[in-house]
Amino acid sequence: MTLEQQIKSCQKCELYKTCNAPIPGDGNFNAKILFVWEAPGADEDKVWKPFVWRSWKLLTSILEEIWLKREKDYYITNIVKCRPPENRDPKKEEITACSPYLLEQLKEWNFKVIVTLWRFSMNFFIPELKISQDRWKIFKITEFAGMKFEKWIYLLPSYHPAVALYSPSKKDIIKEDLQKLEKLLEKID
């Protein structure tokens, strides 16, 4: 059974009872960039894809300005693969149950950069970080959760694009963050 099939048939926590289906992720898993968010929302649960509708359109438009396309240049996933009811924050036990899938995605695929979108995904990798202080600082990870990487992986915390939908002034900050991503990719190519 493939990793994607394992995720789609998962029943490790109660969330599978209230969502339409677990969502493994979307994009090119052979790309250098992995975007990680906390969990699918209501819109994603309807179409079984991460980052759809308004947040997706905003993120996609910013990424396309720096010539990055989902089907070619990045993969996007969540720590928790099922939608929590009412779009609530994922519970610790749900993250614990589901996170082995993300770890397996990291192990199987050769990402060079992880962009965490908001605090849950950022703190999954480095618990002591604060989004307000550590946004878009570059962290090098050589090992994580018992896995050692051949080369380090860059970790870049950023805001979730939905922040810009509610606070339009943040759009420029997110855009600035993602332009730094473009410069980092030039260095590691």
Side-chain angles (χ1 to χ4, degrees):
M1 186 182 298
T2 68
L3 179 57
E4 187 171 277
Q5 290 168 329
Q6 290 173 44
I7 293 169
K8 286 181 176 179
S9 63
C10 181
Q11 296 182 2
K12 290 183 180 181
C13 74
E14 297 295 309
L15 289 179
Y16 82 93
K17 294 177 182 177
T18 58
C19 76
N20 284 320
I23 303 168
D26 188 47
N28 180 0
F29 53 78
N30 291 312
K32 293 179 184 163
I33 306 164
L34 173 66
F35 285 92
V36 182
W37 167 235
E38 63 188 46
D43 293 332
E44 288 80 10
D45 193 43
K46 288 176 191 167
V47 297
W48 302 333
K49 280 180 115 174
F51 272 82
V52 296
W53 313 120
R54 290 174 41 193
S55 293
W56 172 78
K57 287 177 184 171
L58 179 61
L59 181 66
T60 299
S61 70
I62 294 170
L63 290 171
E64 285 181 351
E65 285 181 34
I66 59 171
W67 309 103
L68 294 175
K69 298 197 177 295
R70 187 186 292 206
E71 61 278 354
K72 180 173 122 310
D73 299 307
Y74 60 92
Y75 191 82
I76 191 161
T77 192
N78 296 291
I79 297 170
V80 173
K81 308 301 186 189
C82 294
R83 175 189 176 226
E86 307 300 317
N87 289 347
R88 66 160 168 74
D89 290 341
K91 295 178 181 174
K92 187 176 182 179
E93 61 270 15
E94 294 161 351
I95 291 172
T96 300
C98 207
S99 62
Y101 294 125
L102 177 58
L103 297 176
E104 200 59 38
Q105 287 172 316
L106 287 173
K107 197 185 300 179
E108 281 191 21
W109 304 329
N110 198 25
F111 301 112
K112 307 283 188 237
V113 178
I114 300 170
V115 179
T116 59
L117 301 170
W118 208 239
R119 64 185 168 91
F120 275 94
S121 54
M122 176 187 67
N123 292 142
F124 177 75
F125 291 99
I126 306 177
E128 62 274 9
L129 297 184
K130 303 252 187 277
I131 194 74
S132 58
Q133 297 169 0
D134 298 309
R135 177 191 62 82
W136 217 257
K137 289 181 182 173
I138 298 173
F139 298 90
K140 293 179 182 178
I141 300 175
T142 55
E143 62 179 89
F144 176 73
M147 289 187 308
K148 291 188 183 224
F149 302 112
E150 284 182 35
K151 293 184 175 182
W152 60 71
I153 294 178
Y154 293 97
L155 178 78
L156 304 162
S158 187
Y159 289 122
H160 187 287
V163 170
L165 297 175
Y166 305 108
S167 178
S169 63
K170 296 267 195 289
K171 182 179 179 182
D172 290 337
I173 293 171
I174 293 169
K175 193 182 247 187
E176 185 182 302
D177 286 352
L178 294 173
Q179 287 167 338
K180 291 176 188 170
L181 173 61
E182 182 181 30
K183 290 181 178 102
L184 178 61
L185 288 172
E186 288 169 6
K187 288 182 188 175
I188 61 174
D189 272 341

